[in-house]
Amino acid sequence: QALTALIKKWVPPSLHHNQPQKKKTYSMEAVRAAITNRELINYYQPKVVVATGEVAGVETLVRWQHSDDGLVTPDQFIAVAEAHDLINDLTCLVLTNALAQARVWHQAGLMFRVAVNVSMDNLTSLDFQDLVVNLVTQAGVPPQKVVLEVTESQLMGDTRIPLEILTRLRLKRFRLSIDDFGTGHSSLAQLRDIPFDELKIDQSFVHRAWADETLRAMYDASLALARQLNMEVVAEGVQDQDDWKLVRETGCNLAQGYFISGPLLADDFLDWMKDWQKRLRDGLITKP
Ligand code: C2E
Ligand code: MG
Ligand code: MG
Ligand code: MG
């Protein structure tokens, strides 16, 4: 932040490329109030089985329905919550909402898994484990249907306590997922030490990997590694027909991305499913 301030001071405004006009940083008080007043809402993005098109589950992605600024994306407030000890409250709210929605889907016979993003700052005390277990027990959702996504680049430094918390949750049958795989500095060590069930190949190694030898080598290597370690593999950032063709031809298990669907409100999910099933019937997943 000091660096950003320096750059702002010395670099002419026309060169402030990294400061998009519409992005705003919110104060701790504002983020706290958003959590207390339940202004955070859950969106859901489908994760589909590549071979069949079936919906395996959803990832929940939080948004802030702000009274003045409209729909605010997580990059504008998660870091604030992390920095001011609000992240456990935020994660609990998001998880509570997601579990209530999972119940609705499960009661309708749609046995989706629900994935929730967990911050490294959630994994600093064993209390977090109890919070998660209590919420899931209260909601009556089987832990096997709850996926905890942890971003790989956050898994750095001293990971003894996070490792302990994740391992305990794994023993309680929660599913663990390593998110944005390939973007961190310690990928292999984390895979060695933590019993992940799922590996999500970062979108930067998926989208257009069919067109670029370097990306393709990284995509292939991540896929092979996950298979060798008996993990399910999710391709993130499947954005067009060619990306979809790549994940199909390489036998990736699951896919997620704008080609399938962006994040949706729960109310729009069943309409999207109808539309997706129609796209499948119309030949989207027939062999090339
Ligand atoms: P993530 O967990 O890696 O989520 C994927 C992000 O990529 C989402 O952005 C999603 O909307 C976007 N995305 C999905 N499909 C595509 C695609 O085909 N192409 C491209 N370019 N992007 C795609 P979003 O919702 O803005 O979330 C950004 C990040 O914020 C997430 O990355 C996650 O790390 C974090 N986040 C989101 N919700 C939560 C939350 O409830 N708690 C915590 N701690 N972090 C969250
Ligand atoms: Mg994620
Ligand atoms: Mg990701
Ligand atoms: Mg990410």
Side-chain angles (χ1 to χ4, degrees), residues 59 61 117 149 151 179-180 183 202-203 236:
E59 173 178 4
L61 295 158
N117 290 285
E149 295 193 7
T151 298
D179 203 352
D180 299 350
T183 60
D202 189 67
Q203 49 185 272
E236 299 190 279

Side-chain angles (χ1 to χ4, degrees), residues 1-270:
Q1 272 181 347
L3 187 65
T4 315
L6 260 181
I7 292 170
K8 267 199 174 157
K9 196 164 170 196
W10 297 109
V11 178
S14 60
L15 296 178
H16 291 170
H17 295 301
N18 293 329
Q19 305 280 314
Q21 292 300 309
K22 289 174 100 180
K23 298 276 176 191
K24 191 166 148 181
T25 308
Y26 293 89
S27 70
M28 188 251 283
E29 289 76 15
V31 175
R32 173 180 287 151
I35 298 170
T36 314
N37 303 330
R38 303 280 192 274
E39 288 168 27
L40 301 187
I41 48 177
N42 290 38
Y43 274 64
Y44 298 92
Q45 187 179 36
K47 287 172 151 176
V48 301
V49 178
V50 174
T52 61
E54 175 197 357
V55 179
V58 295
E59 173 178 4
T60 195
L61 295 158
V62 69
R63 302 285 182 265
W64 178 0
Q65 185 65 68
H66 193 286
S67 45
D68 301 324
D69 301 343
L71 208 58
V72 179
T73 50
D75 56 316
Q76 292 174 87
F77 60 88
I78 293 288
V80 178
E82 288 173 341
H84 296 98
D85 210 16
L86 298 170
I87 195 67
N88 272 3
D89 291 342
L90 185 147
T91 303
C92 285
L93 175 57
V94 171
L95 180 60
T96 304
N97 292 341
L99 290 167
Q101 185 57 49
R103 286 274 301 177
V104 171
W105 279 322
H106 290 180
Q107 279 167 355
L110 301 166
M111 300 309 293
F112 302 157
R113 289 179 194 147
V114 286
V116 174
N117 290 285
V118 169
S119 162
M120 189 63 171
D121 292 316
N122 289 131
L123 303 176
T124 55
S125 144
L126 289 174
D127 295 348
F128 182 72
Q129 194 235 184
D130 299 333
L131 284 172
V132 169
V133 170
N134 287 339
L135 288 176
V136 169
T137 311
Q138 275 169 33
V141 172
Q144 297 94 310
K145 293 292 178 190
V146 180
V147 184
L148 305 171
E149 295 193 7
V150 189
T151 298
E152 193 236 342
S153 60
Q154 289 198 340
L155 284 168
M156 288 185 295
D158 186 351
T159 53
R160 277 174 299 181
I161 291 173
L163 186 148
E164 163 105 29
I165 297 169
L166 290 172
T167 306
R168 286 181 186 220
L169 287 165
R170 182 66 183 73
L171 286 170
K172 302 235 183 237
R173 312 191 73 91
F174 286 84
R175 287 178 64 87
L176 304 183
S177 173
I178 187 161
D179 203 352
D180 299 350
F181 185 78
T183 60
H185 307 286
S186 50
S187 328
L188 296 178
Q190 302 318 333
L191 288 185
R192 181 195 60 202
D193 296 337
I194 304 177
F196 287 105
D197 302 279
E198 175 183 283
L199 181 152
K200 300 184 75 172
I201 306 177
D202 189 67
Q203 49 185 272
S204 61
F205 307 120
V206 175
H207 177 51
R208 292 189 63 79
W210 48 271
D212 181 308
E213 275 180 27
T214 308
L215 294 185
R216 181 60 194 268
M218 291 170 178
Y219 168 84
D220 286 343
S222 307
L223 188 66
L225 180 65
R227 284 215 187 101
Q228 287 288 313
L229 297 174
N230 281 316
M231 297 166 72
E232 268 197 311
V233 201
V234 185
E236 299 190 279
V238 173
Q239 287 188 194
D240 53 39
Q241 184 80 51
D242 292 307
D243 295 346
W244 174 256
K245 186 162 176 269
L246 171 78
V247 298
R248 225 174 55 205
E249 288 177 352
T250 50
C252 189
N253 303 99
L254 300 168
Q256 200 178 346
Y258 297 153
F259 177 69
I260 302 151
S261 171
L264 298 166
L265 282 169
D267 281 348
D268 296 328
F269 205 84
L270 295 183

